[in-house]
Amino acid sequence: PILYRVFQIRNELAPVFLVSVGGVILNALLNYVFILHLKMGVIGLALATSLVYTLMCVACYVILLKKRG
């Protein structure tokens, strides 16, 4: 995600790793649903990827806010 460098500077890569793994799994699930069940084709693929990437960025931002105290 976009905030990867912030975590890298702080030497806290585990949260980014977990968010990324969750993002890959969620992306695969949403791709399956949007493409095969909702018959959205390439548009569904792009939508799923965009949604997951946005959620990953929000999750990393929330983690940073919580660690900031």
Side-chain angles (χ1 to χ4, degrees), residues 21-60:
V21 169
V24 167
I25 293 169
L26 183 60
N27 193 26
L29 290 171
L30 288 180
N31 284 339
Y32 176 77
V33 170
F34 287 167
I35 293 171
L36 297 179
H37 288 287
L38 299 178
K39 308 289 187 210
M40 294 177 73
V42 176
I43 293 172
L45 181 71
L47 181 61
T49 302
S50 298
L51 285 173
V52 169
Y53 193 79
T54 302
L55 288 174
M56 287 171 53
C57 290
V58 169
C60 284

Side-chain angles (χ1 to χ4, degrees), residues 1 3-4 7-8 12-21 60 63:
L3 298 173
Y4 172 75
F7 284 98
Q8 189 177 27
E12 299 174 357
L13 297 178
V16 176
F17 173 74
L18 295 174
V19 168
S20 296
V21 169
C60 284
I63 292 170

